[in-house]
Amino acid sequence: MPVQQSMRGKVLADFADDVVRLSKINLGKTYTAKNSRGKSYKKRIDNSGKLRNSIKAKVKQRNDKNGMFEKANIVWSMLDYGLTVDRGRKAGEGIPSEPLIDWIKSKPLRIRDLDSGRFKTFKTDKQRNTAIKGLAYVISRNAKANGIAPTNFFTDVFNSKKNKYFNEIHEDIAQDQIDYINTQLDKISNGTST
C-alpha cells in the first residue's frame, strides 16, 4: 500500500510540473497582434521573462498518524501581476502606475509627437520620465475604461491537464480502497483482526 500512496504524490507532482512548464511556454510564445492603425506586429505576453521565471508549484502532502496518505494540495506561486495577466481586468479598474512605468521602460517603446507624428527626442531624463508617466496615465485610463482581455496562459493549461491527472488520482484511490478491503478480508479469513 505505501507504493500506491507515493504514486498519488507523484501524480500530483507531475501535474504541477506539467502545468508550470506549459504555462511558461504560453508566456514565451510570440503572437501576432494589430495596432490601432491596423498594422500587424509580433509580441509576447511576458516581455521581460520575469513572470515566466516566477511561476512555481509545490506539492504539500500530509499523512495521518499511521503514516497513511491523508491529503495533499498544490501551492502555485508567481509574481503578483500574473493573476491579472491570466484573468484580465474588468473595466472600471485602473492599473497601478509604478509597475506600469517599469513595464513601459522595459519595452522598446518610442513616444511620438501627436502633431507631427515624429518620434520624440528628450534632452533630459526628467523630460523622458514625464513623457513615460503621461503614457502610463493614458494606458491606465484606457484599461479603466475598456478593461484588459484575459490571456489565460495558466487557466487554459490547468483546465486542459486537470481531468487527465485527476482521473489517474481517482484510479489510485480506488486501487487503495480495493487493496485495503482485500487486506481486511485476508485478516478476517486468517482469524486475525485489527
Side-chain angles (χ1 to χ4, degrees):
M1 203 138 57
V3 173
Q4 292 295 329
Q5 305 304 341
S6 64
M7 284 301 293
R8 206 172 304 156
K10 182 185 177 331
V11 169
L12 283 173
D14 289 347
F15 170 64
D17 292 343
D18 214 12
V19 170
V20 167
R21 182 181 60 81
L22 293 172
S23 295
K24 288 180 177 185
I25 289 171
N26 279 351
L27 279 173
K29 280 183 185 174
T30 304
Y31 295 92
T32 302
K34 290 193 177 195
N35 64 17
S36 60
R37 294 183 180 99
K39 186 175 179 183
S40 295
Y41 64 98
K42 303 246 183 222
K43 72 174 198 168
R44 285 193 174 136
I45 296 172
D46 184 22
N47 182 51
S48 67
K50 289 180 184 177
L51 179 58
R52 197 172 350 164
N53 293 332
S54 75
I55 301 173
K56 298 191 180 6
K58 185 175 182 179
V59 177
K60 293 187 176 185
Q61 186 171 325
R62 189 171 84 193
N63 296 334
D64 65 9
K65 62 185 176 187
N66 298 325
M68 297 300 291
F69 178 86
E70 187 175 1
K71 75 178 200 176
N73 60 7
I74 302 172
V75 178
W76 308 96
S77 63
M78 65 179 85
L79 290 174
D80 292 339
Y81 67 90
L83 219 53
T84 304
V85 172
D86 182 56
R87 295 180 180 167
R89 185 180 290 269
K90 292 182 180 179
E93 295 180 52
I95 301 172
S97 62
E98 286 306 313
L100 188 54
I101 289 170
D102 292 342
W103 176 78
I104 291 169
K105 287 180 179 178
S106 75
K107 298 289 263 181
L109 293 177
R110 295 181 63 195
I111 300 172
R112 290 183 182 266
D113 185 301
L114 285 176
D115 297 328
S116 67
R118 292 183 178 174
F119 292 115
K120 283 188 169 187
T121 56
F122 304 104
K123 294 181 179 159
T124 65
D125 282 341
K126 185 177 179 183
Q127 287 177 331
R128 184 177 185 277
N129 288 337
T130 302
I132 288 173
K133 284 181 183 176
L135 182 58
Y137 171 76
V138 170
I139 291 171
S140 180
R141 185 179 64 188
N142 185 30
K144 189 173 184 177
N146 302 318
I148 299 174
T151 60
N152 295 320
F153 73 89
F154 181 85
T155 304
D156 287 349
V157 171
F158 180 87
N159 289 335
S160 71
K161 295 297 177 183
K162 176 177 63 175
N163 292 336
K164 174 192 173 207
Y165 284 101
F166 287 1
N167 285 339
E168 286 182 36
I169 289 173
H170 288 135
E171 289 171 12
D172 285 343
I173 292 170
Q175 188 60 48
D176 285 349
Q177 296 301 316
I178 291 168
D179 292 346
Y180 177 76
I181 291 169
N182 286 336
T183 303
Q184 294 303 317
L185 290 172
D186 287 343
K187 285 180 181 180
I188 291 169
S189 65
N190 292 335
T192 59
S193 62
T194 52

